[in-house]
């Protein structure tokens, strides 16, 4: 492997803002926000809108999340004239 071309792979905390679910995993993502985890250490915090705790496929609920106005943007662009 070439040196100094790979990003740092370290533990981070992902926080699902819609269900307030947090989990720790390793990732190359970084953040200026940090959080103290259950083990007493501080880790970078990555906020996500959907995770396995809130995604309809995993929860079995028919819930549509449109946080960025994607449907309205699509309808505006492609509506019949």
């Amino acid at each position: 492997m070439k040196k100094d071309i790979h990003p740092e792979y370290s533990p981070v905390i992902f926080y699902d803002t819609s269900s307030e679910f947090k989990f720790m995993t390793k990732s190359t993502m970084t953040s200026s926000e940090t959080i103290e985890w259950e083990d007493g250490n501080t880790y970078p915090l990555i906020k996500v809108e959907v995770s396995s705790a809130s995604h309809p496929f995993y929860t079995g609920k028919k819930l549509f999340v449109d946080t960025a106005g994607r449907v309205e943007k699509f309808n505006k662009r492609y509506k019949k004239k």
Side-chain angles (χ1 to χ4, degrees):
M1 270 193 331
K2 293 182 181 179
K3 293 185 178 186
D4 300 327
I5 64 167
H6 301 286
E8 184 180 339
Y9 187 68
S10 59
V12 296
I13 306 297
F14 282 91
Y15 173 59
D16 183 350
T17 56
S18 61
S19 67
E20 298 186 7
F21 176 68
K22 298 175 191 164
F23 61 96
M24 182 169 70
T25 187
K26 287 190 169 187
S27 175
T28 58
M29 296 181 74
T30 59
S31 174
S32 59
E33 293 184 72
T34 59
I35 188 171
E36 186 173 329
W37 192 241
E38 300 160 355
D39 63 2
N41 294 327
T42 303
Y43 299 101
L45 177 68
I46 309 293
K47 293 182 179 178
V48 294
E49 296 175 357
V50 178
S51 72
S52 61
S54 62
H55 193 279
F57 180 80
Y58 296 106
T59 60
K61 298 178 183 174
K62 292 185 178 183
L63 172 71
F64 182 72
V65 179
D66 182 29
T67 58
R70 294 182 193 113
V71 173
E72 289 82 13
K73 187 176 180 180
F74 177 85
N75 288 336
K76 182 179 175 184
R77 182 180 291 170
Y78 296 108
K79 72 178 182 179
K80 291 185 178 184
K81 295 181 181 180

